[in-house]
Amino acid sequence: MRRSPGATDLPPSISDLPALSDLVPPDVWAADLVAASEGLFERDVRVLRDSDGGGLVVVGHAAMRALAQHAEVGATPVEFLTGRSGERVRRATGAEPGGAGAFDAFLRNQVFTMNPPLHAGVRRVVGRHLVPRAVMGAAGRAERVIAEVLAEVVAAGGPVDLARDVAGPYVTRFWTGQLGIPVGTAARVQHLMHEMNRMFLFAPTVDDRARMLAATAEYMDLVGRTVARAWEHGDNALLADLARGLDGVDLPGGPAELGAFVAANFFDGFHTVGVALANAVHHLYADPADVERVRRDPSLVPAAFTEGVRLSAPLMLTTRMAHADVEHAGLRIPAGTPITMVWIAGNRDPEVHDDPGRYRLDRAPRLGTAFGGGARICPGRNAARMLGEVALRALTAATVEVHVATTDTGWVPGSGIRRRAAIPVVVRQVAAA
Amino acid sequence: MPEARFVGAGSAETVLDVPNGQTLKQAAVDNLVPGIIGDCGGYATCGTCHVVVDEPFRARLPTPSEDEEIMLEGLLTPVTAGSRLACQITMADDLDGITVHVPESQG
């Protein structure tokens, strides 16, 4: 049995852990993971039993990091994810969900669902393009795209939704441009990703599932085809290198073709980064004094982004799985146990972060969990950071004024994605002081 | 127990006893050495434990893996001849006294 480092302060068996449903009613958990996790911290509970299926739920930062780094705690198989997706429909509606269709193909091409020996090889294919030096090489393009998007919303004049009209088009146009996808396709891709977001609902209806599957099928086809066409054209170095890399990964179960591989793995770059940026802007603009500090001192932009995604990472939780018997802090975790990592809770654990619910630009960088952790840490985190910081610099520039109409729209409940229902803003061009 | 010396911004030093078999990254994270984060937990895929190893210890380290090379080449901080990821340096008797510098930008 492999042990992860840490104090032996947990009971020996999962059945001896407190059950999540005994401490937090399921509807409360689904409605607000942040508030529910804060309630668990107040009771000094950080590792729980998922009363529904015998798995673990981890909200504590130290346990989360230790388990994420454990060599035997890996990705959940695609069958587990598609099965759970169907089960959620069954529970919420009593209806039979039908086949997983394109959702299955989407998941099978994602590096997040792969385990060794496939994981490292496929991850390397994407990861070498997402190291800091590589992503900073694309910062100039990001600056041009955000300037273009801001010019459009300034020209529009009236209130726009920050996520839908600024952050979404910005990250989608950036990545579609990088991947050789025609400009005219970006808006459709953005719409499809919005529909695909239904995959994160905790209690989807039959209609939610049908729309998610339809959007996933169209997305995989549209992005897959346009990427394949751009690659065949022969003038996109990124696609050529990704294709070469995939050729080198000659293992069963790996991605079969470049288009599907790009579509599945860059979904997070397209969509999740836009949500991260919107959340970071929401938190920064909650206090005009913080905005003014960043406007006066742009060196605070990285802190503004980091603090925003610490409080509101877009992907709040993911499930991993023990692939062998594992021991953590005295707790025996049998092979096959699903482990739900509530990443957003790890970033608010008072054992690690002082006054964790407060937005502080002067917070010392600590071990964040906004992008997960361990060998499966989000490979796109450097790109997300670059895109977020470029946009925040543009939004807080002396020549731009952003007025947030209301911060009272609330977080969307019942989803694993943390996003505001709307962030209405008016963006104006002003003369530099 | 072998010792490792971490030199950070302003020449601040942290000297740690590191058991054989433990990585310098783990020792640094456990002891809150500034500038060593180790987000990926030791898989050479995040670059947040970059250090510059002093002589004569460089030659005693194993050759970097492909993942470590990709990560080092991709860092924004200047990479020098002694650049390594602390998660890939496993303490052993012949590394007793090893000195590593934490780049200022990480502090």
Side-chain angles (χ1 to χ4, degrees):
Chain A
M1 185 177 304
R2 301 283 296 272
R3 287 181 165 79
S4 68
T8 54
D9 56 358
L10 292 173
S13 167
I14 292 175
S15 61
D16 297 328
L17 287 169
L20 176 62
S21 59
D22 288 347
L23 301 182
V24 184
D27 57 330
V28 173
W29 180 255
D32 191 342
L33 281 176
V34 169
S37 301
E38 286 169 348
L40 292 171
F41 292 141
E42 281 170 19
R43 294 166 179 243
D44 205 21
V45 174
R46 287 176 166 74
V47 181
L48 302 99
R49 170 166 52 93
D50 186 350
S51 18
D52 179 26
L56 284 184
V57 178
V58 183
V59 294
H61 182 277
M64 194 175 292
R65 278 186 65 89
L67 287 167
Q69 294 175 9
H70 205 294
E72 303 292 356
V73 176
T76 42
V78 170
E79 292 76 12
F80 176 90
L81 296 170
T82 53
R84 186 174 61 179
S85 167
E87 183 58 26
R88 284 177 172 172
V89 174
R90 230 173 262 121
R91 272 192 209 164
T93 67
E96 269 309 304
F103 186 44
D104 184 276
F106 171 78
L107 291 173
R108 282 189 196 286
N109 278 282
Q110 275 212 319
V111 69
F112 290 112
T113 61
M114 294 174 190
N115 280 306
L118 200 53
H119 176 256
V122 174
R123 184 188 175 90
R124 208 173 286 138
V125 173
V126 190
R128 66 170 72 239
H129 298 283
L130 296 171
V131 292
R133 189 178 293 276
V135 300
M136 287 313 291
R141 178 180 173 78
E143 286 164 0
R144 289 193 295 279
V145 176
I146 190 65
E148 175 188 296
V149 171
L150 289 181
E152 288 170 11
V153 297
V154 167
V160 295
D161 180 60
L162 183 83
R164 185 194 61 210
D165 301 317
V166 179
Y170 162 57
V171 296
T172 311
R173 286 185 210 175
F174 172 83
W175 278 117
T176 49
Q178 292 292 99
L179 297 166
I181 299 171
V183 176
T185 309
R188 185 66 188 164
V189 170
Q190 189 185 336
H191 167 74
L192 293 171
M193 286 185 298
H194 185 74
E195 289 289 283
M196 289 166 72
N197 236 300
R198 293 167 198 276
M199 75 174 70
F200 297 106
L201 294 175
F202 296 139
T205 64
V206 172
D207 181 57
D208 285 324
R209 183 171 167 89
R211 288 171 68 171
M212 181 275 280
L213 289 175
T216 306
E218 186 182 340
Y219 169 87
M220 291 295 285
D221 178 61
L222 178 63
V223 175
R225 263 189 304 111
T226 48
V227 161
R229 203 177 304 138
W231 172 54
E232 283 160 12
H233 203 256
D235 58 356
N236 186 307
L238 171 59
L239 293 179
D241 202 62
L242 289 172
R244 262 195 307 277
L246 281 186
D247 279 347
V249 182
D250 189 18
L251 290 165
E257 51 176 275
L258 180 68
F261 177 71
V262 167
N265 286 287
F266 284 82
F267 170 75
D268 298 284
F270 288 143
H271 171 259
T272 317
V273 178
V275 180
L277 171 58
N279 291 355
V281 173
H282 165 76
H283 284 296
L284 173 62
Y285 280 75
D287 184 346
D290 285 332
V291 180
E292 203 43 45
R293 280 184 69 192
V294 175
R295 284 172 81 93
R296 281 201 312 268
D297 181 5
S299 72
L300 289 172
V301 162
F305 183 76
T306 300
E307 187 66 346
V309 296
R310 182 187 68 81
L311 284 172
S312 290
L315 186 57
M316 292 194 280
L317 73 174
T318 57
T319 304
R320 296 192 178 173
M321 184 168 276
H323 290 293
D325 290 351
V326 167
E327 188 184 314
H328 167 71
L331 176 70
R332 184 176 176 278
I333 307 170
T337 302
I339 304 172
T340 300
M341 305 282 203
V342 190
W343 303 111
I344 197 159
N347 268 337
R348 290 169 177 259
D349 187 342
E351 275 191 349
V352 176
H353 301 284
D354 294 333
D355 198 2
R358 196 167 144 225
Y359 183 87
R360 279 176 39 190
L361 288 168
D362 62 350
R363 193 180 290 278
R366 296 297 301 272
L367 307 161
T369 54
F371 297 103
R376 285 166 180 75
I377 191 169
C378 172
R381 68 200 175 285
N382 296 314
R385 184 170 296 285
M386 181 277 283
L387 286 163
E389 291 179 9
V390 163
L392 282 181
R393 251 179 225 108
L395 287 163
T396 55
T399 55
V400 173
E401 188 180 274
V402 177
H403 173 68
V404 181
T406 173
T407 56
D408 199 25
T409 52
W411 299 100
V412 174
S415 170
I417 293 286
R418 183 164 171 86
R419 65 180 179 90
R420 306 291 293 182
I423 308 177
V425 295
V426 176
V427 183
R428 296 192 190 95
Q429 197 80 38
V430 294
Chain B
M1 193 179 296
E3 262 184 16
R5 193 163 67 106
F6 294 81
V7 183
S11 300
E13 281 190 23
T14 309
V15 179
L16 301 176
D17 292 328
V18 183
N20 279 343
Q22 187 177 62
T23 66
L24 294 200
K25 185 278 297 180
Q26 196 58 49
V29 169
D30 289 348
N31 290 280
L32 303 177
V33 173
I36 303 291
I37 295 175
D39 270 336
C40 77
Y43 296 91
T45 54
C46 73
T48 59
C49 64
H50 174 208
V51 293
V52 179
V53 180
D54 265 1
E55 292 289 16
F57 296 96
R58 294 175 189 175
R60 298 180 197 171
L61 300 177
T63 310
S65 66
E66 184 182 357
D67 282 335
E68 187 179 359
E69 281 188 344
I70 290 171
M71 204 62 246
L72 287 170
E73 286 167 13
L75 292 175
L76 291 176
T77 49
V79 173
T80 70
S83 282
R84 295 300 298 262
L85 297 180
C87 68
Q88 303 300 301
I89 302 175
T90 303
M91 184 50 95
D93 286 336
D94 67 339
L95 297 181
D96 184 19
I98 187 172
T99 297
V100 301
H101 298 261
V102 181
E104 202 163 327
S105 59
Q106 288 173 212

